[in-house]
Amino acid sequence: ECAAGGGGRMSKIDIRRRHGKSKQEARAAIERVTGKVADRFEVDYAWSGDTMNFSRHGVDGHIALEDSEIHVTARLGFLVSMLRGPIEQEIHRFLDEEFGS
């Protein structure tokens, strides 16, 4: 992982959320969350095993499905990082809808 010199490193989102769903239910919920995020922020997404990968210009992220937890990580480019707060709030809101707060 290379960090740019000075304060120019990419902004990151890192969210862990416990869940009590079966893997199938959790996958369906992740698809709904990703679909909402995609509609809102125009991202492309696809499963790779138990990980949902998503990306768009300036954003690269993953939602890893584990037995009792989901783990959302995203790296935001410079311009998108200015929207980190609203993006993170939306992700939390969608996760609350699907997995409870």
Side-chain angles (χ1 to χ4, degrees):
E1 197 176 336
C2 65
R9 69 183 185 81
M10 293 182 95
S11 184
K12 280 191 170 175
I13 291 175
D14 191 331
I15 301 167
R16 289 183 182 272
R17 181 68 62 99
R18 295 194 66 73
H19 74 81
K21 296 180 182 288
S22 72
K23 221 159 200 185
Q24 194 174 1
E25 290 171 330
R27 274 180 85 96
I30 288 170
E31 286 185 18
R32 289 191 294 271
V33 169
T34 311
K36 291 173 185 173
V37 172
D39 289 346
R40 188 81 203 274
F41 298 107
E42 298 174 10
V43 298
D44 295 320
Y45 59 98
W47 283 104
S48 173
D50 284 334
T51 300
M52 174 70 80
N53 300 302
F54 58 90
S55 64
R56 63 159 279 180
H57 184 71
V59 179
D60 181 32
H62 316 280
I63 304 175
L65 171 57
E66 296 157 18
D67 289 337
S68 61
E69 182 176 81
I70 58 170
H71 186 193
V72 181
T73 53
R75 288 163 31 152
L76 310 178
F78 177 70
L79 291 174
V80 179
S81 68
M82 290 185 242
L83 300 172
R84 179 175 171 230
I87 291 170
E88 210 164 3
Q89 283 178 337
E90 284 292 282
I91 292 170
H92 276 291
R93 189 167 68 82
F94 295 145
L95 290 173
D96 288 347
E97 287 173 11
E98 295 293 341
F99 294 98
S101 44

